[in-house]
Amino acid sequence: MAGTIILTGANGSLGLRAADYLLKTYPKYDAVFNVRDVSDTDPNTRNLRSVISQYPQAKASVHQVDHADLSAVHEFASFVSASVAAKDLPPLKSIICNAIYWNLVGDPELTVDGYDKTIQVSHIAHVALVMRLIGSFADDGGRVVLFSSVGHYRKPNAMTHLLPELPDETDKIVHPTSGDNKQAYGFQRYATGKFMITTWMYSLNHHLQALSICFGTRLLTVFNAKNPKLKNITAIAVNPGDMGDSRAFATNTPLSIRLVQALIVKPFLPLITRMVAPTFRSAAAAAVDVVELAVDRAHRGERGYFTMLDKDSSDPMTMDEEVQEVAWRKSLEWAKITKNNTAPDGGVA
């Protein structure tokens, strides 16, 4: 039993390629794939099942988990935790937090939990999943792979002139405003999620290395759960590159972006990668790096921020300890994480 690898957003552009590479290259792992719609009426889920069918010896399962509903995320986490405890699944090797959402053509959308859909699907739901399962990792550790983006940097870019919101602007993060420029505000919501993901990664590593999960501030610990094996879990935030063939650019995006992708980016992607922007690449290429990081073959035991497979520096504000502390506390609050539901199998004790 080598371990279990959870992949969220498994029927997305990168998810499908990551699933294929994982099953082909590392068949010893139990692969647990999450999708929003598990039915065969979803063409993307049919594609995922087609990938799995190519590897009849694979230990792979597909589970429906809607990240826009935290109760579904918590229910799934309880299932995995119980399965690990009962030895129906081996302990976790990795959680690959790939699921995302954006809307560059409309106003903010609220989930059933009352949060902005972009931040909940991309960040809050993953916080819930990771924290609920942190005690289900193997004693020798594993890796949490979070997805950042070049958009997390607090500076204007080609998609928006607006900066990501800061964690102390908490109401704006989960209840953002909008304006006439839907693309600018939509991408700001996406960038804010990536900023929060990157900042929270540093806080998660701090608590793992301190061998504790702390509910409260670092100066005033309300609950401090000691567990020596936590130091063996590493968390990274990776910018996988600008995936020119990603379906994200064809969903909830302005017509101008869809046309650029269809007529320029996808047909000339190899040329763009070689001659213009090395970070522009295919989802398949990005998927290989993500899986190698997840199984701890690439940058074994390292933590921090990566651009593709290169260790990199994230936005300076993400490394501010006060900003990290706010991101940590608010993320746990939004994700409905408490000392009573973290590692219910007793892994944190």
Side-chain angles (χ1 to χ4, degrees), residues 229-245:
K229 80 175 184 180
L230 294 179
K231 67 179 176 61
N232 297 321
I233 304 172
T234 61
I236 62 171
V238 57
N239 166 19
D242 301 298
M243 292 172 284
D245 57 352

Side-chain angles (χ1 to χ4, degrees), residues 5 12 38 46-47 51 66 98 106 141 164 221 227 237 241 249 290 336 344:
I5 294 180
V38 77
R46 288 203 305 271
N47 289 338
V51 168
D66 185 357
N98 172 60
T221 302
N227 186 336
F249 290 106
V290 167
K336 298 178 172 58

Side-chain angles (χ1 to χ4, degrees), residues 75-338:
E75 182 179 353
F76 171 73
S78 294
F79 161 76
V80 173
S81 177
S83 297
V84 171
K87 302 188 185 311
D88 294 327
L89 282 173
L92 298 186
K93 176 65 176 181
S94 180
I95 302 176
I96 306 174
C97 302
N98 172 60
I100 68 159
Y101 179 83
W102 74 4
N103 189 338
L104 309 186
V105 295
D107 289 323
E109 306 159 82
L110 295 183
T111 67
V112 295
D113 301 289
Y115 303 137
D116 172 62
K117 189 174 182 179
T118 299
I119 188 71
Q120 176 164 330
V121 171
S122 303
H123 175 56
I124 297 173
H126 285 131
V127 170
L129 184 62
V130 169
M131 296 305 298
R132 284 292 309 275
L133 294 176
I134 205 71
S136 296
F137 277 83
D139 289 344
D140 60 354
R143 178 165 270 175
V144 175
V145 180
L146 304 167
F147 280 73
S148 186
S149 162
V150 68
H152 93 276
Y153 290 100
R154 285 182 50 80
K155 58 185 180 182
N157 57 59
M159 298 289 282
T160 183
H161 63 284
L162 302 169
L163 304 182
E165 303 282 8
L166 293 174
D168 58 359
E169 299 168 327
T170 52
D171 190 61
K172 290 184 179 180
I173 289 177
V174 293
H175 302 109
T177 58
S178 190
D180 293 336
N181 189 336
K182 304 303 181 187
Q183 175 182 313
Y185 281 93
F187 194 83
Q188 183 194 35
R189 297 192 294 272
Y190 170 81
T192 295
K194 297 303 184 181
F195 180 89
M196 288 293 292
I197 288 167
T198 308
T199 305
W200 188 77
M201 174 270 299
Y202 289 111
S203 288
L204 176 59
N205 276 318
H206 168 84
H207 288 285
L208 293 172
Q209 290 178 278
L211 311 183
S212 65
I213 300 300
C214 166
F215 293 83
T217 67
R218 293 175 187 171
L219 296 178
L220 178 61
T221 302
V222 176
F223 173 70
N224 194 358
K226 295 291 184 180
N227 186 336
K229 80 175 184 180
L230 294 179
K231 67 179 176 61
N232 297 321
I233 304 172
T234 61
I236 62 171
V238 57
N239 166 19
D242 301 298
M243 292 172 284
D245 57 352
S246 172
R247 288 203 318 268
F249 290 106
T251 305
N252 294 334
T253 58
L255 177 60
S256 59
I257 294 178
R258 299 200 304 270
L259 289 175
V260 168
Q261 188 203 30
L263 301 177
I264 300 176
V265 176
K266 290 178 72 173
F268 299 102
L269 185 56
L271 184 63
I272 293 172
T273 302
R274 287 198 304 269
M275 302 189 66
V276 181
T279 58
F280 261 88
R281 59 178 179 164
S282 68
V288 171
D289 290 353
V290 167
V291 172
E292 292 296 322
L293 287 165
V295 300
D296 214 15
R297 290 288 297 273
H299 295 280
R300 182 176 179 81
E302 292 190 42
R303 299 168 171 84
Y305 179 77
F306 290 81
T307 296
M308 301 193 294
L309 280 185
D310 295 326
K311 192 72 178 289
D312 206 350
S313 297
S314 59
D315 187 272
M317 198 161 288
T318 66
M319 293 179 279
D320 183 301
E321 289 193 0
E322 292 185 5
V323 175
Q324 292 172 11
E325 186 61 35
V326 176
W328 172 260
R329 288 188 290 107
K330 294 306 297 184
S331 295
L332 295 189
E333 175 187 323
W334 295 329
K336 298 178 172 58
I337 292 297
T338 71

